[in-house]
Amino acid sequence: MSELFGAIGQVKSVYTLVDFYQYIKTVEYLICVAFFVGFPLFFRYLHRSGDAARQSSH
């Protein structure tokens, strides 16, 4: 697992179509996980009640 996180952002040499597809699919899954975690947090941030928003700004 640490190898996967260490390889993020590095240019990787792929030699076959299967290697390329696996690499692209892994990146796509990481983007989906980030979206599924980030969007509900962002949605809750946008739709806070007015009282909670006023209290947090002070």
Side-chain angles (χ1 to χ4, degrees):
M1 191 66 152
S2 66
E3 291 178 13
L4 174 67
F5 289 123
I8 293 175
Q10 294 179 355
V11 176
K12 190 175 168 182
S13 297
V14 291
Y15 299 104
T16 65
L17 185 60
V18 174
D19 290 340
F20 177 73
Y21 181 73
Q22 182 179 4
Y23 178 70
I24 294 299
K25 194 165 84 169
T26 302
V27 171
E28 180 182 344
Y29 282 145
L30 290 174
I31 291 170
C32 288
V33 167
F35 177 78
F36 289 141
V37 169
F39 182 76
L41 295 174
F42 182 66
F43 187 82
R44 281 194 335 193
Y45 172 74
L46 288 178
H47 292 93
R48 290 190 296 191
S49 66
D51 295 334
R54 282 188 216 112
Q55 288 176 357
S56 66
S57 66
H58 291 302

